Amino acid sequence: MTADLDIRKVTTDDAGELLTLRRAAFVTEAQQYGDPHIPPLTQTVEELVEDLQRPDVVTLGGWDGHRLVGSIRVLIEDKKATLGRFAVAPDLQGKGFGTQLLLAILPYLPDGIEEVWVFTGRDSVQNIALYAKHGYEHQHDQTAGDLTYAFLRKSLVETPED
């Protein structure tokens, strides 16, 4: 049984802890793709603070007691939300914390959001499986440099049955 996380917005006071969490969580991703220069590993604390202050970004953190164990970033663009920088502490992956964070974003989205997008490395099968389990459907792949990303989408709009 997974403990319920205390999920709330990350503030600039949490920036150092968030940076540490992301770096720990994304090392395995960087190793899988042979690229130590992925953005979550090269972002500075100053850049992170700037990102946390953006009005079009919501960053949620999940705390287990006093420890930040997971986070997810949401970029709001018109009627679309894009998830990114989704991280869970390596020693706690596979325990349901990521699912709690993924499900927690909807109440934080502004009214009028019609779809949620997420992208991950095409070879990150565990990530893709998690998104698919929660209603995200693969839309397309896109190559950037040496990496190929899978883009998945979840509609929040009820579509009438034909």
Side-chain angles (χ1 to χ4, degrees), residues 16-155:
E17 196 174 359
L18 177 59
L19 193 68
T20 301
L21 167 71
R22 284 184 179 167
R23 287 190 174 159
F26 278 95
V27 163
T28 51
E29 193 92 350
Q31 289 170 333
Q32 179 176 352
Y33 293 101
D35 184 359
H37 304 291
I38 61 175
L41 296 181
T42 59
Q43 185 177 41
T44 67
V45 72
E46 292 81 15
E47 291 167 337
L48 179 56
V49 166
E50 198 174 290
D51 191 63
L52 290 170
Q53 293 172 332
R54 288 177 52 175
D56 59 341
V57 170
V58 176
T59 301
L60 297 182
W63 280 263
D64 185 17
H66 294 291
R67 181 182 177 200
L68 178 63
V69 300
S71 70
I72 191 165
R73 177 186 185 273
V74 185
L75 174 64
I76 307 297
E77 303 169 282
D78 195 27
K79 296 179 180 184
K80 172 182 165 185
T82 303
L83 308 183
R85 307 279 168 104
F86 190 11
V88 174
D91 62 314
L92 296 174
Q93 290 175 4
K95 299 187 184 305
F97 292 138
T99 297
Q100 288 183 50
L101 281 162
L102 192 59
L103 297 175
I105 63 159
L106 293 179
Y108 287 91
L109 298 178
D111 291 341
I113 296 293
E114 296 179 357
E115 58 186 3
V116 181
W117 284 79
V118 65
F119 63 93
T120 189
R122 186 180 61 193
D123 298 331
S124 300
V125 291
Q126 289 174 315
N127 296 356
I128 292 170
L130 173 67
Y131 298 130
K133 178 180 173 184
H134 294 287
Y136 291 80
E137 297 178 359
H138 182 264
Q139 300 297 308
H140 64 273
D141 291 337
Q142 182 177 325
T143 301
D146 294 335
L147 296 179
T148 300
Y149 295 98
F151 285 78
L152 297 93
R153 175 184 170 273
K154 179 177 185 171
S155 176

